[in-house]
Amino acid sequence: MTKTYNNLYPDIYDFHNIYNAYIKAQKGKRYKNEVLKFKMNLEGNIIEIQNELIYKTFESGRYREFKIYEPKERIIMALPFKDRVVHHALCNVIEPIFENRFIYDSYACRPGKGTHAAADRTTEFLRITTNKWDKVYCLKSDVKKYFYNIDHNILKRIIRKKIVCSDTLWLVDKIIDSTAEAGEINPVGIPIGNLTSQLFANVYLNELDYFIKHDLRAKYYIRYMDDFIILHHDKRLLWYFLQEIRDFLDRKLNLELNGKTSVFPINQGINFVGYRIWPTHRLLRKSSIKRIKRGLKKLQKDFNDGKIPLKKVEATIMSWLGHCKHADTYRIRKKVLGEIE
């Protein structure tokens, strides 16, 4: 029988939990106006949140929308700082419940995981499978417009498999439906940008993980958010897996796969988590190289025009070099950095 969790709500509105949520929420944003304003009356604001949760008067604030264009165009929805504190307070309590159930090879937005760990695991799987089989194929796919198509009602049902605390579920539902239109019968989509959205997105596709690992028994499977790969020597079996996955997503999660889904031999490399990966080496994606070149040119222009400080340019370069060090990039690093005047 699946273990369920009750009586969680007092832990969520606990003063120390909300304070810890504030510490997490302000990380990297300490000098923003709304954070400084919140800090000026820190104890009073924490008590206000606590009371709104206790008496269930909490209402989500208004979202601020903006677009980002790298690596692709997406709409980001940002909540006021107070809401972000509430989301951290909720995740502090419920995230460990779901984290214990996630499969090992799910790598997005989880402690000790991330793109570099996913790339390392892909290399490990490639080396194992190429030693095991003469020919290896890869099924690679991703979910079409994933965040925008998550079904609220299905997500709530999945969460209720583990959490039965009605007060906690009230807050969960409040956050899930914060972007729904009034009276909408079957709302879909969760905002990219919310901390809770990262958790909910993993919870939702954990259903797919279990289907692939336990029903299809695919051993060499890795997922990073809505992107996933499966390795096998039998190309026909991978095409069979693909049809089963499509059917499962349609029946159980009301999702569909992107049209770019393919099955291919691994000798052409696997484009995954920002790298082109082979058993013997790893390169940066060509699109990533073009993107950093464009980004550095813009940074250089903004710096020369006095729009940004030198430390922002340095931080961007160091971040990119950190990404580069996980691949064979000596020549490309030398070339890209050599173009900076």
Side-chain angles (χ1 to χ4, degrees):
M1 183 179 290
T2 302
K3 183 179 179 180
T4 57
Y5 294 82
N6 202 350
N7 303 316
L8 300 171
Y9 203 55
D11 293 335
I12 295 170
Y13 66 68
D14 176 78
F15 184 94
H16 295 291
N17 181 54
I18 299 172
Y19 175 76
N20 288 333
Y22 154 74
I23 295 297
K24 290 182 178 180
Q26 58 92 46
K27 189 175 181 182
K29 304 177 180 70
R30 286 183 297 167
Y31 302 110
K32 291 200 171 182
N33 287 336
E34 61 175 341
V35 180
L36 292 171
K37 186 177 178 182
F38 190 95
K39 187 178 180 181
M40 284 175 64
N41 184 26
L42 181 57
E43 184 175 354
N45 285 323
I46 290 175
I47 291 172
E48 180 183 333
I49 289 173
Q50 187 178 43
N51 286 334
E52 288 184 9
L53 293 178
I54 291 172
Y55 298 108
K56 295 185 179 175
T57 58
F58 170 74
E59 295 288 344
S60 287
R62 182 175 294 181
Y63 283 93
R64 178 173 58 88
E65 293 187 11
F66 58 94
K67 284 185 180 180
I68 61 170
Y69 298 91
E70 299 292 354
K72 58 185 177 182
E73 183 177 320
R74 292 183 295 173
I75 297 173
I76 304 297
M77 300 177 69
L79 280 167
F81 182 70
K82 173 186 169 182
D83 291 72
R84 298 202 294 273
V85 173
V86 172
H87 287 213
H88 274 280
L90 174 65
C91 288
N92 284 347
V93 175
I94 70 169
E95 185 172 11
I97 293 170
F98 293 104
E99 177 63 33
N100 288 335
R101 192 170 181 271
F102 292 155
I103 67 165
Y104 181 85
D105 287 311
S106 165
Y107 285 88
C109 308
R110 295 180 61 197
K113 302 290 184 175
T115 55
H116 299 145
D120 290 343
R121 185 68 158 169
T122 302
T123 299
E124 179 186 346
F125 277 178
L126 283 169
R127 288 173 178 170
I128 291 171
T129 53
T130 50
N131 284 330
K132 187 176 180 180
W133 298 312
D134 292 334
K135 189 131 189 176
V136 180
Y137 296 90
C138 176
L139 162 58
K140 182 178 182 296
S141 188
D142 64 280
V143 178
K144 183 179 179 181
K145 295 183 177 179
Y146 178 47
F147 278 83
Y148 304 114
N149 287 311
I150 290 176
D151 187 300
H152 289 199
N153 294 327
I154 294 173
L155 174 59
K156 290 175 187 177
R157 286 201 298 271
I158 294 170
I159 290 171
R160 280 161 169 78
K161 291 179 184 180
K162 298 298 291 179
I163 295 175
V164 295
C165 173
S166 59
D167 292 329
T168 299
L169 291 171
W170 168 83
L171 180 58
V172 167
D173 291 353
K174 202 85 175 167
I175 292 171
I176 290 173
D177 291 332
S178 62
T179 56
E181 299 290 335
E184 196 173 356
I185 296 172
N186 191 34
V188 296
I190 59 175
I192 299 173
N194 280 358
L195 174 73
T196 49
S197 293
Q198 297 173 4
L199 174 61
F200 294 156
N202 268 334
V203 168
Y204 204 80
L205 277 191
N206 189 55
E207 302 293 300
L208 175 65
D209 295 341
Y210 269 69
F211 174 72
I212 291 174
K213 293 293 290 183
H214 298 285
D215 289 55
L216 298 183
R217 299 188 177 225
K219 186 174 182 180
Y220 303 106
Y221 164 72
I222 299 172
R223 178 172 66 82
Y224 184 89
M225 198 48 74
D226 60 319
D227 293 308
F228 65 87
I229 61 169
I230 304 174
L231 303 178
H232 204 277
H233 69 93
D234 189 337
K235 182 165 59 172
R236 289 172 300 178
L237 182 63
L238 288 178
W239 283 113
Y240 166 75
F241 283 173
L242 176 58
Q243 188 55 53
E244 290 294 302
I245 290 167
R246 280 190 172 127
D247 290 345
F248 177 85
L249 289 173
D250 180 55
R251 285 184 293 106
K252 297 293 186 180
L253 300 178
N254 199 21
L255 296 172
E256 58 180 295
L257 295 178
N258 193 300
K260 294 179 181 178
T261 296
S262 59
V263 175
F264 54 89
I266 58 95
N267 58 12
Q268 67 187 60
I270 300 174
N271 252 322
F272 190 51
V273 293
Y275 300 99
R276 294 159 60 206
I277 307 172
W278 288 265
T280 53
H281 63 290
R282 191 184 305 169
L283 300 176
L284 295 183
R285 280 176 169 173
K286 291 179 181 178
S287 59
S288 298
I289 298 169
K290 289 179 182 177
R291 190 161 60 246
I292 190 61
K293 283 182 176 181
R294 286 197 308 267
L296 288 176
K297 281 182 181 178
K298 185 177 185 308
L299 280 175
Q300 187 175 11
K301 183 179 183 305
D302 288 347
F303 173 71
N304 291 337
D305 293 343
K307 294 180 180 178
I308 58 171
L310 178 61
K311 65 180 181 180
K312 181 162 185 180
V313 180
E314 292 173 339
T316 301
I317 292 172
M318 292 308 295
S319 176
W320 181 68
L321 290 175
H323 181 65
C324 287
K325 74 178 184 180
H326 294 271
D328 304 283
T329 57
Y330 174 77
R331 288 182 180 177
I332 195 64
R333 276 182 286 150
K334 190 174 180 181
K335 182 180 178 182
V336 171
L337 294 180
E339 292 176 1
I340 301 174
E341 296 177 1

